[in-house]
Amino acid sequence: MKRNWAAMRAVLLIPHRSENPDEAAPPAGYRRILAIVRAADGPVQVRPVGEELGLQVTVRDKLEPLRAKMTKLADRGWLRKRSDGRFTTRSQ
């Protein structure tokens, strides 16, 4: 069986933020996270973002996927992760 390796290339779901970011580039769920962090008065922890998204925040396992998404946004330049574990927008 032959495989088409070119068709199996990796697709970057969350693009790296550029100097002139396209705010529509991240998928809708990630854009919602960005909007919640932007609307906050300052740095936010994962729990309040989860509450805003309607997640069951009393169960730690429900917050870990959200934490991973927020960390991915930080790794790609859309958010900034502070040393205390809270997240801010790039301008805060």
Side-chain angles (χ1 to χ4, degrees), residues 33 46 55 64 69:
I33 294 168
V46 175
L55 298 177
E64 290 309 313
K69 287 180 180 181

Side-chain angles (χ1 to χ4, degrees), residues 2-83:
K2 285 188 168 185
R3 293 190 179 216
N4 184 352
W5 293 107
M8 295 177 68
R9 70 177 188 265
V11 176
L12 193 61
L13 187 62
I14 308 299
H16 291 280
R17 187 173 185 269
S18 63
E19 295 246 349
N20 298 315
D22 177 9
E23 296 298 323
Y30 288 88
R31 288 194 309 267
R32 177 82 173 117
I33 294 168
L34 288 169
I36 292 168
V37 174
R38 284 188 188 117
D41 291 332
V44 295
Q45 293 179 323
V46 175
R47 182 178 297 264
V49 176
E51 289 171 350
E52 186 73 25
L53 291 171
L55 298 177
Q56 188 179 2
V57 297
T58 57
V59 178
R60 183 177 174 91
D61 290 344
K62 299 292 183 178
L63 290 178
E64 290 309 313
L66 175 59
R67 184 183 319 281
K69 287 180 180 181
M70 293 175 73
T71 300
K72 188 177 289 187
L73 285 168
D75 290 346
R76 303 278 165 75
W78 293 93
L79 292 177
R80 184 169 68 92
K81 186 175 183 180
R82 297 169 29 129
S83 60

